[in-house]
Amino acid sequence: MSIRDNILKIKENIDNTCLKTGRKNDVKIVAVTKYVSIDKILESLKYGIDDIGENKVQEFLKKVDHIQPKPNYHFIGHLQTNKVKYIYDKVDLIQSLDRIDLADELEKRANLADIRVNSLIQINISRESTKFGIKENEVFQFIEALQNHKHLYVQGLMTIGSNTEDKAKIRSDFRKMYNLSERIKSKHYDRVSMDILSMGMTDDYMIAIEEGSNMVRIGTGIFGEREKMGG
Ligand SMILES: *Cc1c(COP(=O)(O)O)cnc(C)c1O
């Protein structure tokens, strides 16, 4: 199938899932473009994609000047503190805020530039040791430690679903994420909104939407299997 057909199919699946779940369709698709060529990215932008997600600083920087009209950029990978300076003012949303020294560096840069940086807190909901992210029971403490980061805004949560075939486990983790975001919202922290719940990828986005996701990050489902190009 072509990129266009893939996007149309995913949009139809999202529409149907929202209908079935009885919610309005407020789901944003972030096209994950790691290892994807600029030509293919431009093609996706023609067919209704407005949001692009990259997970490596180098790759993002190589592409960013070639992509017009400018989409919304999401950084979705583990972000090393010493690379913040290259991207903090070029991306619209950093979805992988996962530790306090990263928050400190973002605040420092944003303060100097007098801009606002938008982020999602990445949660390691499945507690897999291979995954980055704040643990559920540590998130309130983490948010409280952000209270003097006046240029850093938290718009919601992000997670990567369990790496398992067990759909019930995946669903239960997504449900925990939704409940966690509601609990955070009820605290009305400054600069913390919980408007975005970013969860769901090619294999699990419909489950994620059923459990309350309003942002799905889809790579393979749009562009096909990735060929590792290295770097
Ligand atoms: C690669 C990646 C995705 C997309 O994965 P697909 O299975 O190709 O849809 C989503 N989120 C993150 C953080 C990723 O690294």
Side-chain angles (χ1 to χ4, degrees), residues 32 34 55 76-77 158 160 200-203 217-221 226:
V32 175
K34 58 191 184 201
N55 71 337
I76 61 171
M158 181 274 251
I160 299 173
M201 320 199 317
T202 298
D203 290 334
R217 308 178 310 269
I218 303 188
T220 319
R226 286 182 280 277

Side-chain angles (χ1 to χ4, degrees), residues 29-123:
I29 301 173
V30 176
V32 175
T33 53
K34 58 191 184 201
Y35 306 116
V36 174
S37 69
I38 288 162
D39 284 351
K40 287 186 178 169
I41 297 173
L42 294 176
E43 197 176 334
S44 74
L45 296 177
K46 272 197 297 200
Y47 299 116
I49 293 295
D50 302 315
D51 292 75
I52 295 292
E54 286 281 351
N55 71 337
K56 292 208 172 66
V57 169
Q58 279 311 109
E59 194 178 340
F60 168 71
L61 291 174
K62 260 196 279 182
K63 290 172 179 174
V64 63
D65 291 333
H66 303 281
I67 300 173
Q68 296 291 343
K70 184 199 161 299
N72 301 312
Y73 284 112
H74 300 247
F75 194 80
I76 61 171
H78 184 64
L79 180 53
Q80 287 173 260
T81 310
N82 62 1
K83 294 196 173 155
V84 164
K85 58 179 173 287
Y86 303 119
I87 66 159
Y88 73 100
D89 56 352
K90 296 189 177 65
V91 296
D92 299 279
L93 185 63
I94 293 174
Q95 296 207 11
S96 45
L97 180 60
D98 62 358
R99 60 196 194 283
I100 201 71
D101 65 320
L102 176 57
D104 291 346
E105 179 67 13
L106 287 166
E107 171 62 23
K108 185 182 109 188
R109 295 283 166 186
N111 183 24
L112 283 171
D114 195 20
I115 60 168
R116 153 183 178 158
V117 168
N118 298 312
S119 68
L120 305 180
I121 298 175
Q122 181 172 355
I123 307 289

